[in-house]
C-alpha cells in the first residue's frame, strides 16, 4: 500500500512540473529559475561527487547524462515561452514513444505489445496536438525536448547496467552539476 501511495505522489509531482514552470516563467527569468532549481538539487550530491572525483568512468557517465537532460530541460523551458502548458504536457508524453523507438533502432527486440502501445500513444498525442490552436515553435521545442529526455532515459539504463551501485549517487551529482553549468 505504501508503494502505491508513493507512486501516486510522485505522479502528481511529475504532472505538476510543466504547469509550475509555465507559471514561474511569467514572473521570473527561465534561465535564473532553472539555475536555482538545479543548483539546489545538486547540493546534497556534492559529497558523492567529491568522493568519486578520480573515477573517470563515473564522471564521464554523469556528464553525458547531464548533457542529455540539460538539452531536454532547456528546450522545455524555451518551448513553454510560446506553448500552452497543457499542450506541452501532452507533447512531453512523446518521451514514452521515443524510448522504445530508439531502443529498437539500436537493435533491441521490442515486444509487439510495446509497439501497439507506441502506436496508441502516437495517435493520442497526434489527436491532442492537432486540436485547438495551431502548432507553434514552442510545440516543436517541446517535441525535441521529449526526444532528448528519451535519449537520457535510454542512456541512463545502459550506463546503470555497467555501474556499481555505490557510484549511482555520484553519477546523479555529476549529472545535476553538469546541468548547472
Amino acid at each position: 500500500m505504501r508503494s502505491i501511495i508513493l507512486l501516486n505522489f510522485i505522479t502528481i509531482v511529475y504532472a505538476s512540473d510543466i504547469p509550475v514552470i509555465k507559471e514561474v516563467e511569467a514572473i521570473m527569468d527561465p534561465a535564473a529559475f532553472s539555475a536555482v532549481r538545479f543548483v539546489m538539487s545538486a547540493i546534497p550530491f556534492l559529497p558523492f561527487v567529491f568522493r568519486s572525483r578520480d573515477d573517470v568512468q563515473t564522471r564521464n557517465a554523469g556528464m553525458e547524462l547531464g548533457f542529455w537532460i540539460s538539452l531536454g530541460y532547456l528546450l522545455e523551458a524555451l518551448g513553454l515561452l510560446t506553448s500552452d502548458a497543457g499542450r506541452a504536457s501532452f507533447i512531453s508524453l512523446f518521451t514514452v514513444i521515443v524510448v522504445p523507438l530508439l531502443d529498437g533502432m539500436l537493435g533491441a527486440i521490442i515486444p509487439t505489445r510495446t509497439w501497439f502501445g507506441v502506436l496508441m500513444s502516437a495517435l493520442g498525442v497526434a489527436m491532442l496536438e492537432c486540436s485547438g490552436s495551431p502548432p507553434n515553435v514552442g510545440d516543436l521545442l517541446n517535441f525535441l525536448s521529449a526526444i532528448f529526455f528519451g535519449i537520457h532515459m535510454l542512456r541512463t539504463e545502459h550506463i546503470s547496467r555497467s555501474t556499481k551501485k555505490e557510484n549511482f549517487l555520484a553519477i546523479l551529482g555529476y549529472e545535476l552539476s553538469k546541468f548547472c553549468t
Side-chain angles (χ1 to χ4, degrees), residues 32-165:
F33 172 67
S34 291
V36 169
R37 178 181 179 194
F38 289 98
V39 164
M40 295 297 293
S41 298
I43 290 171
F45 297 98
L46 290 178
F48 301 102
V49 170
F50 291 131
R51 211 174 310 147
S52 69
R53 67 182 171 271
D54 296 329
D55 185 346
V56 176
Q57 182 181 359
T58 298
R59 182 178 60 240
N60 289 345
M63 297 300 275
E64 179 194 341
L65 293 176
F67 172 75
W68 294 119
I69 201 81
S70 295
L71 286 174
Y73 278 114
L74 175 65
L75 291 174
E76 178 184 79
L78 293 173
L80 283 171
L81 292 173
T82 58
S83 184
D84 177 59
R87 181 179 280 183
S89 294
F90 285 118
I91 294 172
S92 73
L93 293 175
F94 191 72
T95 299
V96 174
I97 299 167
V98 168
V99 172
L101 285 174
L102 290 176
D103 209 17
M105 289 169 44
L106 294 172
I109 297 174
I110 310 298
T112 304
R113 67 181 180 277
T114 301
W115 287 120
F116 178 74
V118 165
L119 176 65
M120 291 295 104
S121 297
L123 287 173
V125 170
M127 289 176 12
L128 291 167
E129 176 60 21
C130 295
S131 62
S133 62
N136 59 43
V137 173
D139 294 340
L140 174 63
L141 295 174
N142 287 316
F143 174 76
L144 293 172
S145 170
I147 290 173
F148 288 122
F149 286 137
I151 293 170
H152 174 262
M153 286 181 188
L154 274 178
R155 291 300 300 146
T156 299
E157 177 187 357
H158 290 262
I159 288 169
S160 67
R161 288 183 184 161
S162 62
T163 301
K164 294 183 241 172
K165 284 185 179 182

Side-chain angles (χ1 to χ4, degrees), residues 5-24:
I5 292 170
L6 184 59
L7 178 63
N8 283 306
F9 175 74
I10 291 170
T11 302
I12 291 168
V13 170
Y14 178 75
S16 67
D17 180 55
I18 290 177
V20 168
I21 292 171
K22 181 76 173 171
E23 289 299 315
V24 170

